[in-house]
Amino acid sequence: MADPSTYRPAPGAIPTSPGVYKFRDAHGRVIYVGKAKSLRPRLSSYFQDLAGLHPRTATMVTTAASVEWTVVATEVEALQLEYSWIKEFDPRFNVKYRDDKSYPELAVTLNEEFPRVQVMRGAHRKGVRYFGPYGHAWAIRETVDLLLRVFPVRTCSNGVFKRAAQVGRPCLLGYIGKCAAPCVGRITPEDHRALAEDFCDFMAGRTGNYLRRLETEMQEAAADLEYEKAARLRDDIGALKRAMEKNAIVLADATDADLLAVAEDELEAAVQIFHVRGGRVRGQRGWVTDKVEDVDTAGLVEHALQQLYGGVGGGAEDRGEAVPREVLVPALPDPVEPVREWLGGLRGAQVDLRIPQRGDKKDLMATVQRNAQQALALHKTKRASDLTTRSRALQEITDALELDSVPLRIECFDISHLQGEDVVASMVVFEDGLARKSEYRRFEIKGFEGQDDVRSMHEVISRRFRRYLQERERTGEWAVPEEGPEDAADAAADGSGTAVDGTGTGVDTRAEDGRPRRFAYPPQLLVVDGGQPQVAAAQRALDELGIDDIALCGLAKRLEEVWLPGEDDPVVLPRSSEGLYLLQRVRDEAHRFAIGYQRGKRSKRLTAGELDSVPGLGETRRQALLKHFGSLKKLRAATVDELCAVPGIGRRTAETVAAALSSRTPAAPAVNTATGEIIEDGADEPAPAAPETAPIQETP
């Protein structure tokens, strides 16, 4: 536990301008990011008597070892920079809303020649128009199925679209009238785009005029005795009304608003958001968070707005779609004007951020509030047993291994190979008993060839902790042994930034890299997959580096025994032990991660083509050559001048490609194993599937 007075900035050194500040721990990792209208009074408030601080704030300042700040011009810039840093550094003491699931959205790809309607998740893409989010993907598909009768927009994948265009025959949807079949030219690109835009207008809530137009056309068709057309229009109107009925009308027509409600207690908070478009609830989502910092309802609302709108990707038009005209909240951020200005900048127009006081909007806010309270209650019911179990598991490990402190950070290493080939290793990280996948790392064994799990474990432990010492050397905490060639390669691949100034004075972080260094944070417990030999190899690697403050154990698969370095007998945890179950989860996760990496390397090696080994020829130019000539057979027969005609291929590269292909024996003709037919141009066809063989043992 650090004394805040040891890194307190000098009096008068802190500016009074708006800015964003970062607290770092002793290992240089950012643990808290905040913003302030005036940096001096805000930062000074952290260095008062600990008894006067909120318990969470006191824990943060005693965990930190340095503080630094960046001055900005306005409070809006401070808001934007704070959100960017929270996303980049993932500080442990900042409020971070955890989405309880990935919400699907209805997307229309207006950035394509023939726009496509589909279900999408994740970050927004430029040129794609989104509607939702929806609670379930099936809800989107039901809505789309009804609307395709009236707006037969393309829904197929690019592969299906190209295949239909090649054979000149549309898919089933084209035959039953739920696709305009642009793949076979039944509709022009301009008319299909107009159809997609009508679909978007209807989904955006502009439904009244369209329904009235269809009703007028139906009446005119009936008056002209075109009863079949009138019946079709009648069915179209019914389909549109059924699609509209799936979203209840909650506000006046054409009202676009997001309603945000918060339910909280002393430890946690839940946020619920209703997306209202065209007066109808088009989507709903929810988040939960631990209140790891001293924050009130207004602060939670501000963080939620950053989470909701700050990550909207794409161009300005995409951000504008995400931010509605009104944002209704239970409490206004303090100060509120920078947040309003920020939202207005994202939308490109004024945004009304306020608390509803009366009428339908206040009633709907009460409904959203009830949803937030129910979500918090449900989350607590689910989490109570999980939190208790994780705490008990960590304590059982502490007692069984006689550790000095609870292992809040556990790292586990595993070796994987296939009969001595493609030897790789994995490192997984668990913090507070939960997987922290952003800190997973993988290694390729470089020091030797062949199968030797013990030697591989020694190499990978040495490389991981030599990198740790290199980071400590940058801050002057430790003298690091001379690095080997494989460690220099790791350092080049990492690209970590310069040392962090630990004096506590303000620095301009824009002049340094500032990103979290990959191996700068040590574990309290190091777990290796294996028994005595693997544990001894890991201990030898730590001893060679002079590291003696990290606990080490190994978990053997056969009897699930826990081995400690230098001990002849293992520690046997009860089969019902939560501590043993946690160690098994960590070991199994390392095994899964290592196997995945090893299989990927093996697959890449087995599927490597003739062009993959041509020096100086990257993926882009390989694809350009294959696309230009159509097959390896035609590429092999091409002259240097013909190769130079491909965009991006110079004469020297063309000569290298021609020499490489001419020196290799052409592949034998492909044979259709079902019919015995010899395919003359084997390179033009997909490679035949490999025959099934007995499974090969994969060694983890």
Side-chain angles (χ1 to χ4, degrees):
M1 180 177 293
D3 182 359
S5 62
T6 59
Y7 64 90
R8 180 172 184 170
I14 308 175
T16 57
S17 307
V20 184
Y21 54 90
K22 293 183 291 191
F23 282 87
R24 295 181 183 263
D25 63 10
H27 303 285
R29 190 163 72 167
V30 176
I31 61 173
Y32 184 73
V33 173
K35 62 173 174 57
K37 181 179 180 180
S38 177
L39 285 169
R40 181 177 298 175
R42 175 62 60 84
L43 285 177
S44 298
S45 67
Y46 288 102
F47 296 98
Q48 57 180 290
D49 185 6
L50 291 177
L53 294 175
H54 189 280
R56 298 186 187 91
T57 306
T59 303
M60 187 273 292
V61 297
T62 53
T63 303
S66 65
V67 62
E68 57 197 47
W69 57 84
T70 297
V71 175
V72 297
T74 65
E75 295 178 63
V76 177
E77 290 184 17
L79 184 71
Q80 295 170 336
L81 182 58
E82 179 195 33
Y83 176 75
S84 299
W85 278 358
I86 290 174
K87 294 288 287 183
E88 178 179 357
F89 296 111
D90 191 23
R92 56 180 295 195
F93 285 100
N94 276 95
V95 166
K96 295 182 291 293
Y97 291 101
R98 301 184 300 274
D99 229 335
D100 51 2
K101 54 180 173 290
S102 174
Y103 287 89
E105 295 179 281
L106 175 60
V108 183
T109 58
L110 296 176
N111 56 344
E112 297 181 355
E113 181 183 7
F114 296 99
R116 173 190 176 193
V117 175
Q118 60 181 318
V119 178
M120 278 191 179
R121 299 176 186 262
H124 286 191
R125 303 175 186 176
K126 185 176 182 180
V128 179
R129 193 163 178 188
Y130 293 87
F131 304 94
Y134 289 76
H136 304 279
W138 55 261
I140 301 179
R141 295 189 178 97
E142 283 188 355
T143 301
V144 171
D145 187 62
L146 290 170
L147 295 182
L148 287 180
R149 178 185 179 88
V150 186
F151 308 103
V153 186
R154 167 195 164 209
T155 58
C156 60
S157 65
N158 290 332
V160 173
F161 186 87
K162 291 179 181 178
R163 195 175 304 115
Q166 290 172 351
V167 301
R169 187 173 64 249
C171 62
L172 177 63
L173 293 178
Y175 283 109
I176 64 176
K178 289 193 173 181
C179 178
C183 53
V184 294
R186 289 186 184 175
I187 186 174
T188 65
E190 294 76 16
D191 291 340
H192 185 268
R193 177 168 295 275
L195 200 62
E197 291 174 351
D198 287 342
F199 179 93
C200 292
D201 289 342
F202 188 87
M203 289 300 303
R206 293 182 280 275
T207 60
N209 293 335
Y210 198 83
L211 284 174
R212 285 191 292 270
R213 189 180 73 188
L214 287 181
E215 290 174 352
T216 301
E217 292 180 2
M218 178 185 67
Q219 293 169 359
E220 291 176 353
D224 294 338
L225 304 182
E226 297 179 1
Y227 297 118
E228 291 184 0
K229 179 180 178 181
R232 187 174 64 253
L233 291 171
R234 177 202 60 198
D235 294 342
D236 290 348
I237 294 171
L240 294 180
K241 288 183 177 179
R242 288 195 300 275
M244 293 170 59
E245 289 169 359
K246 291 181 176 294
N247 303 114
I249 298 177
V250 293
L251 297 176
D253 190 22
T255 298
D256 291 344
D258 283 348
L259 289 87
L260 185 150
V262 179
E264 58 181 310
D265 58 17
E266 293 182 355
L267 299 176
E268 294 176 307
V271 171
Q272 282 289 309
I273 301 160
F274 277 22
H275 301 278
V276 178
R277 299 295 183 269
R280 299 174 182 270
V281 178
R282 298 292 185 181
Q284 175 187 357
R285 66 194 308 177
W287 299 321
V288 291
T289 183
D290 294 323
K291 294 174 67 175
V292 292
E293 62 176 296
D294 183 17
V295 61
D296 56 9
T297 303
L300 290 170
V301 168
E302 181 176 327
H303 287 304
L305 293 175
Q306 288 179 312
Q307 178 86 3
L308 181 60
Y309 302 119
V312 177
E317 60 181 15
D318 302 311
R319 293 195 294 269
E321 284 294 335
V323 184
R325 288 192 292 266
E326 291 182 83
V327 178
L328 307 179
V329 295
L332 293 176
D334 184 24
V336 68
E337 286 306 321
V339 180
R340 281 200 181 108
E341 186 177 344
W342 174 63
L343 292 175
L346 292 178
R347 176 176 169 79
Q350 185 175 355
V351 175
D352 188 9
L353 176 63
R354 61 187 177 87
I355 304 172
Q357 300 295 333
R358 63 183 67 85
D360 294 339
K361 293 177 182 178
K362 184 178 180 181
D363 294 340
L364 182 57
M365 177 63 80
T367 301
V368 183
Q369 181 68 37
R370 285 194 298 272
N371 277 265
Q373 292 169 347
Q374 292 172 2
L376 181 61
L378 180 61
H379 170 74
K380 282 189 167 294
T381 302
K382 290 181 178 178
R383 192 185 179 200
S385 59
D386 178 60
L387 183 60
T388 303
T389 301
R390 285 191 284 117
S391 300
R392 184 166 66 248
L394 292 173
Q395 189 59 51
E396 287 181 4
I397 294 173
T398 304
D399 297 338
L401 305 185
E402 298 180 355
L403 304 179
D404 296 333
S405 60
V406 175
L408 297 180
R409 180 183 172 99
I410 301 175
E411 291 183 5
C412 183
F413 291 80
D414 185 25
I415 307 297
S416 180
H417 58 83
L418 179 64
Q419 297 180 344
E421 294 186 349
D422 300 318
V423 185
V424 298
S426 67
M427 179 187 102
V428 301
V429 179
F430 275 58
E431 289 190 353
D432 297 331
L434 297 175
R436 189 176 179 87
K437 294 190 177 182
S438 63
E439 304 223 358
Y440 285 13
R441 298 291 178 261
R442 57 192 190 184
F443 303 82
E444 180 180 355
I445 302 303
K446 308 174 182 178
F448 65 97
E449 295 182 358
Q451 177 179 348
D452 191 336
D453 289 359
V454 175
R455 190 176 174 186
S456 299
M457 185 63 72
H458 178 273
E459 177 183 327
V460 73
I461 296 294
S462 298
R463 287 164 58 185
R464 185 266 181 265
F465 286 98
R466 187 173 284 113
R467 292 300 315 284
Y468 162 58
L469 297 184
Q470 289 171 0
E471 299 297 347
R472 296 196 65 174
E473 183 192 29
R474 294 180 181 183
T475 59
E477 299 179 49
W478 199 311
V480 61
E482 184 179 353
E483 66 179 23
E486 69 276 5
D487 304 299
D490 287 342
D494 183 11
S496 55
T498 56
V500 178
D501 185 1
T503 62
T505 57
V507 296
D508 183 3
T509 58
R510 291 169 294 182
E512 61 182 33
D513 184 76
R515 290 178 173 78
R517 296 180 295 275
R518 295 187 178 185
F519 298 102
Y521 204 65
Q524 282 82 45
L525 176 62
L526 176 62
V527 181
V528 297
D529 182 18
Q532 277 182 307
Q534 285 82 2
V535 173
Q539 185 62 54
R540 188 169 68 255
L542 295 177
D543 292 341
E544 291 171 356
L545 296 173
I547 298 176
D548 58 3
D549 58 349
I550 296 177
L552 170 66
C553 74
L555 186 61
K557 286 188 178 69
R558 190 170 65 88
L559 297 176
E560 302 294 11
E561 302 164 328
V562 180
W563 290 91
L564 298 177
E567 298 291 337
D568 294 330
D569 298 316
V571 176
V572 179
L573 295 175
R575 288 291 179 177
S576 59
S577 167
E578 292 292 343
L580 177 60
Y581 178 60
L582 176 57
L583 290 177
Q584 289 172 329
R585 284 176 51 217
V586 173
R587 189 267 319 276
D588 293 344
E589 179 68 357
H591 176 72
R592 179 199 65 79
F593 194 51
I595 284 288
Y597 181 36
Q598 190 271 332
R599 286 175 176 169
K601 284 181 63 65
R602 186 181 76 218
S603 176
K604 184 176 181 180
R605 176 171 55 84
L606 294 177
T607 58
E610 293 186 44
L611 293 177
D612 292 346
S613 58
V614 177
L617 192 65
E619 178 65 25
T620 301
R621 292 198 287 181
R622 282 200 300 269
Q623 295 296 331
L625 285 170
L626 291 174
K627 183 177 180 180
H628 182 82
F629 290 100
S631 70
L632 267 176
K633 182 178 181 181
K634 296 178 181 178
L635 177 59
R636 195 181 291 112
T639 64
V640 173
D641 291 335
E642 290 173 339
L643 292 173
C644 291
V646 180
I649 304 297
R651 175 160 291 276
R652 180 177 299 178
T653 303
E655 292 173 351
T656 303
V657 172
L661 294 180
S662 63
S663 64
R664 296 172 186 158
T665 304
V671 178
N672 187 324
T673 56
T675 64
E677 177 187 1
I678 296 178
I679 303 173
E680 293 183 359
D681 192 359
D684 291 337
E685 299 293 333
E692 294 187 1
T693 59
I696 299 175
Q697 179 77 25
E698 289 194 50
T699 305

